[in-house]
Amino acid sequence: MSALHTSSLLLALRRLKYGPALAAAFSHGHRLHSTTSPSSWTKVVSEAEKIVGYPTSFMSLRCLLSDELSNIALNVRKLVGTKHPLISTARGFIYDNRNNLQLRGLVVLLISKAAGPSKTADPPMEGDLVSGIYPSQRNLAEITELIHTAFLVHRGIVNIMELTASHGPLKDMQFGNKMAVLSGDFLLANASTGLAQLQNTQVVELVSSAIGDLVQGVYYENSGLDEEKVTEDIPMTKWAKRTFLSHGALLAKCCQGAMQLAKHDTALQEMAFRYGKHMSLAHKLNSDLQPFLEEGFGDSVPFNLNSAPIILHQETSGRDTWINQLKQTKTNGKQPDYAKLRQIIKAGKGVSSSFELCRYHGNQALEALRSFPTSEARSTLENIIYAVHKF
């Protein structure tokens, strides 16, 4: 890649980061873990990166500094000043207040090192271990991040029919949608190329199925609601299945794939899958709980009406009661008063039940780690769970 393209990309990213239209956005970031201070969470991540050999914040750097993506970044500058979600996604690459953009790749690397080389592989694995991790496993970690990032970018496509003048000029929002589609497709194409280069049909099939799960999960998230129905009537078991598809399948299957690349037996592959699955569900529950925990979370700030605390509140209080409570908080006929709604949810059992469920999935992840030998990598994987499920 030419120096001109590299400098152009970095200049575009700096403008995205420091542009006046984004200055206010930086002051409204919310911590992922309300009871784990940013410094302690950063310490967990920093220790993990030392163990795996390099900072995972640079995991996708080869792709991000390609000529094609540098041109995309230069075009994204045109969206500065609008409210297109692609701006927030781009900003996240250089300023992630929640320290979780590269979490999936980091977990794949950690669990690869925790398992180590297989002692029963026949024939033995070829390739030199670097910091206890095979090159193919590092490549899989990069692929995991590329797929996750591609879906983040694709989620930034907005419904043009729902836009108002406050979002920005229509032509800019349409342009933002085109850029979201193209850049997301570019990242997926690079992930697919890297996946083929692993030359392992089992892992290719596994990760491909995870991409299918992601698509299905996103479809479920967007197909169940309409203008008249802002909250779904689904049991918690169905919520868990949908959440696994959209938030857990990629990590779980890539952890399993990392074990396959090192030729570990199916028992250890299953434990790696379980860790990824339960860690992801605990992570999502922690995220869903934040509006009801953070002292700095504004009373009027909207929150997801299909999050775990809401679903569990419905199960305990009844669907009819919940709908009546929702109607009572609507002040202008459409939007509910989120301050009142937050107090209603906190007074019920939804929040406490979400606590318990988060701890359950955290404990299940810790249980899966018992199959791995004691090591620094395993301890760090445990610390990640402690940071997620201890309140």
Side-chain angles (χ1 to χ4, degrees):
M1 180 181 177
S2 68
L4 177 61
H5 276 94
T6 302
S7 61
S8 297
L9 174 60
L10 294 176
L11 177 60
L13 290 176
R14 290 192 189 102
R15 287 179 178 175
L16 282 174
K17 182 175 181 180
Y18 298 114
L22 297 178
F26 289 119
S27 63
H28 296 298
H30 300 297
R31 285 188 288 119
L32 178 64
H33 309 289
S34 63
T35 55
T36 303
S37 67
S39 59
S40 61
W41 174 249
T42 302
K43 184 179 179 181
V44 171
V45 174
S46 177
E47 290 176 352
E49 290 179 336
K50 290 177 183 177
I51 290 171
V52 300
Y54 61 81
T56 51
S57 56
F58 295 100
M59 189 174 292
S60 304
L61 196 59
R62 286 180 297 176
C63 177
L64 292 176
L65 291 181
S66 64
D67 291 347
E68 294 88 347
L69 209 60
S70 66
N71 289 329
I72 290 174
L74 290 171
N75 281 298
V76 168
R77 285 166 43 196
K78 298 177 183 178
L79 299 177
V80 172
T82 71
K83 294 184 179 179
H84 200 286
L86 186 57
I87 284 289
S88 300
T89 304
R91 189 179 71 245
F93 284 120
I94 49 176
Y95 182 91
D96 179 25
N97 197 39
R98 296 175 297 177
N99 298 294
N100 69 338
L101 262 184
Q102 304 288 340
L103 180 61
R104 288 155 188 81
L106 181 58
V107 169
V108 171
L109 292 174
L110 284 170
I111 207 159
S112 298
K113 181 159 186 175
S118 174
K119 298 178 181 179
T120 60
D122 186 21
M125 273 288 296
E126 296 181 0
D128 296 329
L129 288 168
V130 179
S131 297
I133 303 168
Y134 288 109
S136 60
Q137 292 174 318
R138 290 188 182 274
N139 291 338
L140 179 59
E142 292 182 7
I143 291 166
T144 305
E145 284 302 332
L146 285 176
I147 294 171
H148 173 64
T149 304
F151 273 83
L152 283 181
V153 172
H154 277 160
R155 281 171 181 259
I157 299 173
V158 298
N159 187 345
I160 298 296
M161 301 301 293
E162 297 178 355
L163 297 179
T164 63
S166 65
H167 288 91
L170 178 61
K171 64 177 183 179
D172 288 345
M173 300 303 286
Q174 290 174 329
F175 176 76
N177 278 358
K178 292 178 182 178
M179 297 307 298
V181 171
L182 290 172
S183 53
D185 287 350
F186 171 78
L187 292 170
L188 274 178
N190 275 268
S192 299
T193 301
L195 198 57
Q197 290 172 347
L198 292 178
Q199 298 182 349
N200 187 307
T201 54
Q202 287 183 319
V203 176
V204 170
E205 290 177 5
L206 192 63
V207 178
S208 298
S209 69
I211 295 175
D213 291 337
L214 271 169
V215 173
Q216 189 176 359
V218 173
Y219 171 78
Y220 282 142
E221 286 181 0
N222 293 281
S223 64
L225 302 177
D226 54 39
E227 292 181 0
E228 301 298 326
K229 187 180 178 184
V230 296
T231 179
E232 288 190 273
D233 183 14
I234 60 172
M236 197 61 195
T237 52
K238 194 170 184 178
W239 177 93
K241 290 179 180 178
R242 291 186 179 185
T243 301
F244 170 72
L245 290 174
S246 59
H247 292 83
L250 179 63
L251 179 59
K253 291 185 176 182
C254 286
C255 285
Q256 181 181 351
M259 299 301 99
Q260 289 182 349
L261 288 172
K263 297 184 179 181
H264 286 288
D265 57 39
T266 54
L268 198 63
Q269 291 177 30
E270 175 63 22
M271 291 301 105
F273 176 90
R274 289 188 185 181
Y275 177 83
K277 172 185 176 180
H278 291 290
M279 184 268 175
S280 298
L281 290 173
H283 189 279
K284 183 62 170 64
L285 283 158
N286 183 294
S287 178
D288 283 0
L289 279 164
Q290 296 313 300
F292 309 98
L293 300 177
E294 293 186 351
E295 296 297 332
F297 203 100
D299 288 339
S300 61
V301 176
F303 51 86
N304 185 4
L305 295 180
N306 289 296
S307 61
I310 306 296
I311 300 297
L312 288 166
H313 178 78
Q314 283 189 79
E315 285 193 349
T316 55
S317 62
R319 173 71 175 178
D320 292 338
T321 300
W322 161 242
I323 293 299
N324 288 332
Q325 291 172 338
L326 189 59
K327 288 179 179 178
Q328 291 170 7
T329 62
K330 290 187 176 181
T331 54
N332 57 4
K334 289 186 177 181
Q335 290 297 324
D337 184 330
Y338 282 94
K340 293 180 180 178
L341 203 55
R342 185 176 285 103
Q343 294 305 315
I344 290 173
I345 301 301
K346 291 174 73 172
K349 296 182 179 179
V351 173
S352 59
S353 297
S354 297
F355 276 135
E356 294 174 6
L357 193 58
C358 184
R359 291 191 182 100
Y360 166 78
H361 286 296
N363 289 332
Q364 289 296 305
L366 292 173
E367 183 68 26
L369 285 177
R370 292 186 178 181
S371 299
F372 293 81
T374 302
S375 65
E376 270 191 312
R378 176 181 140 173
S379 296
T380 305
L381 288 168
E382 292 170 346
N383 288 338
I384 290 174
I385 296 298
Y386 295 144
V388 169
H389 88 308
K390 283 193 174 182
F391 296 92

